[in-house]
Amino acid sequence: QVLLVESGGGSVQAGGSLRVSCAAYGYTYSGYCMGWFRQDPGKEREGVAAIDSDGSTIYADSVKGRFTISQDNAKNTLYLQMNSLKPEDTAMYYCAADLRCTVPQWWLLLPSKYNYWGQGTQVTVSS
């Protein structure tokens, strides 16, 4: 069984920063493509950022220039550094993983692509 566990969420004021983490158990991130997604109640889950197995990254336009996705294979951990946070960034943030990585890069931001998901960590940004 594969387990993904997010951490690092919290409540911050607009303009602040947070770094959320995703630790993997049962497998290593090496060879996987990984993504961060977010969802607010009543809305669809949306792709935020993703990193391919070769290290290339892609970001949603809404977070480009503010968020950075990275991974540490030695620690088997995925990160999302979030800077200049806005109230509209408020959501439950989820990490996801999959081995089917030979796809157009923009596909990596599609929630339907991924097989493995974490439980989520809440990020709340106040004005």
Side-chain angles (χ1 to χ4, degrees), residues 97-112:
D98 204 273
L99 279 171
R100 300 168 298 172
C101 302
T102 309
V103 297
Q105 191 178 43
W106 67 271
W107 284 26
L108 298 177
L109 291 178
L110 299 178
S112 60

Side-chain angles (χ1 to χ4, degrees), residues 56-102:
S56 60
T57 59
I58 184 172
Y59 297 89
D61 289 341
S62 60
V63 307
K64 192 173 299 182
R66 299 187 297 122
F67 291 10
T68 302
I69 187 172
S70 62
Q71 61 186 13
D72 186 333
N73 288 329
K75 297 181 178 180
N76 214 33
T77 302
L78 180 74
Y79 302 98
L80 182 68
Q81 178 67 47
M82 301 181 288
N83 298 325
S84 301
L85 284 162
K86 304 174 181 179
E88 51 262 45
D89 294 319
T90 295
M92 185 73 75
Y93 282 71
Y94 301 88
C95 69
D98 204 273
L99 279 171
R100 300 168 298 172
C101 302
T102 309

Side-chain angles (χ1 to χ4, degrees), residues 13-36:
Q13 292 184 321
S17 298
L18 282 174
R19 188 180 74 166
V20 291
S21 303
C22 176
Y25 302 89
Y27 69 100
T28 62
Y29 284 171
S30 180
Y32 287 81
C33 41
M34 305 285 296
W36 283 100

Side-chain angles (χ1 to χ4, degrees), residues 42-60:
K43 296 185 177 181
E44 294 184 356
R45 187 168 298 185
E46 63 174 342
V48 176
I51 185 166
D52 208 343
S53 57
D54 64 359
S56 60
T57 59
I58 184 172
Y59 297 89

